[in-house]
Amino acid sequence: MTVTGVVSTVLLVAGLLIVVGSCAGMAVLDDPLDRLHLTTPAAMLGSTGICAAVVVREGLSASGLAAIGVAVILIGASPLAGHAAARAIAVRRGASWSDPQDESTGVPGEER
């Protein structure tokens, strides 16, 4: 086995272990916010490791560039999706997301 084969196998196994570990943790935890914390390692580290394994094995071919694109999208979208999901959970639980300056006496333009 070549050096690139060994490196890509190590990256692939590391990424898969992170994803499987996150999934196992999500199966154990009950609270949705705790589960949400476990999606970050799977989306950021696990998938990036898997995409890096593809880049090492395939190089900068079409498959390698596609893997880089997937990794960039996951790294960019994962925090945004996590924040949106956490905010939806908090709102469903009754949290208020209004600005204190918006809660005036009820008359528009009138200060407290």
Side-chain angles (χ1 to χ4, degrees):
M1 189 176 247
T2 64
V3 175
T4 57
V6 171
V7 172
S8 71
T9 302
V10 168
L11 287 169
L12 180 65
V13 169
L16 288 174
L17 286 175
I18 292 170
V19 170
V20 169
S22 291
C23 290
M26 288 176 64
V28 172
L29 296 174
D30 291 331
D31 187 45
L33 289 175
D34 290 336
R35 288 181 179 175
L36 186 61
H37 281 290
L38 289 173
T39 62
T40 302
M44 301 286 281
L45 298 174
S47 61
T48 305
I50 294 168
C51 290
V54 171
V55 172
V56 168
R57 176 169 236 136
E58 299 295 326
L60 292 177
S61 64
S63 298
L65 292 175
I68 291 171
V70 167
V72 167
I73 290 170
L74 287 173
I75 288 171
S78 179
L80 299 173
H83 177 76
R87 186 170 177 166
I89 291 169
V91 168
R92 180 153 178 114
R93 289 181 176 177
S96 175
W97 290 95
S98 62
D99 188 3
Q101 292 178 347
D102 292 341
E103 297 175 3
S104 61
T105 58
V107 179
E110 187 176 308
E111 297 183 20
R112 288 185 180 187

